[in-house]
């Protein structure tokens, strides 16, 4: 990359598109290249500052306000969803013979989850156009994690469907699980977004599927690690840990004959699916928006001076 | 926001001086950037840098005082508009009034 291109790149996108070729030509034909390079650098940075104050900042504020409102709404929906989940999980006869009520409750849990995923996808598509940054999935995961933590405290306080997952040891491992969840989700969404921006939509779809399976499996595996650490029992069922959690099929038979269901594991897998759906939708939306924007000229060839 | 020609070039702030020189250069006919640099250098003895020149061109174009013409031999010429002529006239009249006053006070006629 030559100096002219570097200097032109300092200008805001719209100025580059309008005058980039012409400025680059004057730079290349300059009799005083150092003075003109400094002149262009100064005016480019000034233009960028003006652009930041008049365009970028207001846009960022609008996007932040919209994102905050939607995230708050989503967290509220998630909280309501948790109440449904907890109530219905109480109807499922885990570890015992299937009952009609239990089957209906599982179906309701799945339908509610599917509905929540649809809401997450819609929110991701809308927000992804406005906030094209990894900050968005991070904020979403953190908002869900905060909501999840709040609900966990409520469950402990009122003794709702409390399992050993909510012991002190289980709660300690929840921090690690949230970290794994956050990093894996943002990494997968970033890969999908970069591939999408590069026009490699097929590779992006493959990465989305493989990355999604990977994220879900990693989070479920981490839950197994927490169970093993707290109970000394490593649940079977590999590699179908995620669907087992999602369906609430995973039960641990304790040495005393008791049955433990990890409600937290079920909720976490639902949250992972929601976050992944949101992050992918936002990444896809951001990539398609970026791809539809005009290509910026990069300087071009130089014509001889008149 | 576009400036009114009646206001001259005062709304262009620190770009008002290079913008004035660009308008004076284009008052004679359409020119591209390189030719404007030559013309302004001949007029003032100082060649404007590309950043300064196109900073002024951008503001003049945004205000409707100049307009880009179709490319000729890979160069884009600009021409002054009617609004640009009125703005230039306003600005030069204002400068002449200031110059006349200053010279009169110096008792130089």
């Amino acid at each position: 990359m030559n100096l002219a291109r570097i200097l032109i790149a300092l200008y805001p996108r719209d100025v580059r598109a309008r005058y980039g070729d012409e400025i680059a030509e004057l730079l290349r034909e300059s009799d005083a290249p150092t003075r003109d390079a400094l002149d262009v650098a100064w005016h480019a940075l000034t233009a960028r500052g003006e652009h930041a104050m008049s365009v970028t900042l207001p846009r960022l504020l609008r996007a932040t306000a919209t994102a905050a409102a939607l995230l708050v709404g989503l967290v509220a929906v998630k909280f309501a969803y948790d109440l449904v989940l907890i109530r219905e999980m109480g109807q499922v006869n885990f570890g015992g013979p299937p009952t009609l009520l239990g089957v209906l409750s599982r179906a309701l849990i799945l339908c509610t989850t599917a509905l929540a995923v649809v809401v997450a996808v819609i929110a991701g598509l809308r927000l992804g156009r406005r906030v094209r940054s990894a900050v968005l999935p991070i904020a979403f995961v953190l908002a869900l994690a905060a909501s999840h933590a709040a609900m966990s405290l409520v469950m402990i306080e009122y003794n709702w469907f409390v399992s050993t997952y909510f012991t002190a040891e289980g709660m300690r491992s929840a921090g690690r699980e949230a970290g794994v969840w956050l990093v894996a989700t943002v990494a997968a969404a970033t890969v999908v977004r970069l591939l999408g921006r590069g026009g490699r939509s097929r590779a992006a779809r493959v990465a989305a599927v493989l990355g999604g399976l990977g994220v879900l499996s990693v989070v479920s595996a981490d839950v197994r690690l927490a169970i093993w650490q707290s109970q000394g029992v490593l649940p079977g069922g590999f590699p179908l840990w995620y669907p087992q959690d999602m369906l609430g099929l995973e039960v641990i038979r304790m040495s005393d004959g008791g049955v433990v269901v990890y409600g937290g594991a079920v909720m976490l897998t639902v949250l992972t699916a929601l976050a992944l759906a949101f992050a992918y939708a936002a990444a896809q939306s951001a990539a398609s928006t970026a791809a539809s924007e005009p290509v910026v000229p990069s300087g071009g060839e130089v014509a001889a001076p008149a | 926001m576009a400036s009114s020609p009646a206001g001259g070039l005062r709304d262009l702030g620190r770009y008002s001086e290079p913008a004035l020189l660009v308008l004076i250069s284009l008052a004679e006919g359409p020119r591209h950037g390189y030719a404007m640099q030559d013309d302004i250098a001949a007029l003032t003895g100082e060649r404007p840098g590309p950043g300064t020149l196109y900073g002024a061109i951008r503001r003049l174009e945004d205000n409707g005082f100049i307009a880009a013409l179709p490319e000729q031999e890979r160069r884009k010429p600009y021409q002054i508009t009617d609004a640009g002529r009125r703005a230039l006239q306003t600005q030069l009249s204002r400068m002449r009034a200031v110059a006349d006053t200053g010279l009169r006070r110096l008792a130089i006629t």
Side-chain angles (χ1 to χ4, degrees):
Chain A
M1 183 180 281
N2 61 33
L3 180 63
R5 285 193 178 193
I6 294 172
L7 292 172
I8 300 302
L10 295 176
Y11 276 102
R13 179 191 291 257
D14 61 327
V15 180
R16 286 202 307 269
R18 281 169 67 186
Y19 305 111
D21 288 348
E22 295 165 73
I23 296 173
E25 178 183 337
L26 295 190
L27 272 175
R28 290 186 184 114
E29 298 300 325
S30 173
D31 295 330
T34 304
R35 187 207 69 157
D36 283 354
L38 290 173
D39 178 72
V40 169
W42 168 252
H43 285 278
L45 293 174
T46 304
R48 188 165 283 279
E50 290 168 356
H51 187 269
M53 293 305 293
S54 63
V55 178
T56 308
L57 188 62
R59 188 186 292 169
L60 190 65
L61 289 175
R62 278 199 304 276
T64 304
T66 308
L70 273 171
L71 287 178
V72 167
L74 279 170
V75 170
V77 169
K78 189 260 171 196
F79 201 82
Y81 168 78
D82 279 349
L83 293 177
V84 173
L85 188 67
I86 291 164
R87 182 183 181 283
E88 294 306 319
M89 282 177 69
Q91 306 295 327
V92 178
N93 186 21
F94 291 108
T99 64
L100 179 60
L101 191 58
V103 171
L104 289 176
S105 291
R106 284 184 198 277
L108 184 61
I109 290 169
L110 283 176
C111 289
T112 317
T113 302
L115 185 63
V117 166
V118 170
V119 172
V121 168
I122 292 171
L125 289 173
R126 290 186 67 86
L127 281 178
R129 280 197 292 270
R130 291 170 174 262
V131 185
R132 282 174 274 161
S133 158
V135 169
L136 193 57
I138 291 173
F140 189 75
V141 170
L142 291 178
L144 284 187
S147 173
H148 186 54
M151 177 53 77
S152 301
L153 293 175
V154 171
M155 290 168 74
I156 292 171
E157 181 68 23
Y158 292 98
N159 200 29
W160 288 348
F161 200 74
V162 174
S163 71
T164 51
Y165 184 81
F166 293 110
T167 61
E169 197 169 354
M171 292 302 284
R172 272 198 298 276
S173 65
R176 187 193 63 215
E177 286 161 14
V180 170
W181 174 30
L182 178 64
V183 171
T185 302
V186 173
T190 302
V191 169
V192 170
R193 183 181 165 201
L194 292 177
L195 288 173
R197 278 178 66 177
R200 301 166 66 184
S201 55
R202 191 172 181 179
R205 281 197 291 273
V206 172
V209 172
L210 294 179
L213 291 173
V215 170
L216 299 174
S217 300
V218 163
V219 173
S220 288
D222 200 61
V223 172
R224 296 304 184 286
L225 181 61
I227 294 171
W228 180 68
Q229 285 176 331
S230 63
Q231 304 295 323
V233 179
L234 186 62
F238 177 83
L240 300 175
W241 286 340
Y242 178 77
Q244 284 182 342
D245 284 345
M246 193 72 172
L247 295 169
L249 293 176
E250 182 62 71
V251 295
I252 309 298
R253 295 187 184 281
M254 307 302 291
S255 55
D256 61 1
V259 169
V260 176
V261 180
Y262 289 90
V266 178
M267 291 173 72
L268 187 62
T269 50
V270 170
L271 294 182
T272 313
L274 283 180
L276 202 56
F278 176 86
Y280 277 172
Q284 179 63 35
S285 184
S288 59
T289 304
S292 66
E293 288 181 346
V295 177
V296 178
S298 57
E301 294 294 321
V302 179
Chain B
M1 189 193 295
S3 301
S4 162
L9 302 175
R10 61 187 169 199
D11 290 343
L12 301 187
R14 61 196 170 86
Y15 283 96
S16 59
E17 186 182 337
L20 173 70
L21 297 173
V22 169
L23 286 181
I24 291 172
S25 177
L26 295 182
E28 202 174 50
R31 284 191 169 98
H32 53 69
Y34 198 90
M36 274 187 256
Q37 275 188 318
D38 283 346
D39 191 48
I40 292 171
L43 183 69
T44 65
E46 189 176 353
R47 191 181 185 84
T52 303
L53 181 69
Y54 277 92
I57 287 175
R58 178 159 72 96
R59 282 157 181 81
L60 288 168
E61 211 180 352
D62 289 346
N63 281 287
F65 293 162
I66 65 172
L69 295 172
E71 277 190 30
Q72 294 174 352
E73 297 175 355
R74 303 174 65 188
R75 288 178 166 188
K76 193 194 292 178
Y78 294 87
Q79 71 175 3
I80 191 167
T81 63
D82 290 342
R85 285 190 182 280
R86 289 197 298 276
L88 178 58
Q89 194 166 5
T90 302
Q91 188 71 18
L92 291 176
S93 299
R94 188 179 293 152
M95 292 172 73
R96 184 163 62 186
V98 171
D100 287 348
T101 302
L103 289 171
R104 193 170 56 249
R105 290 180 183 178
L106 284 171
I108 301 171
T109 55

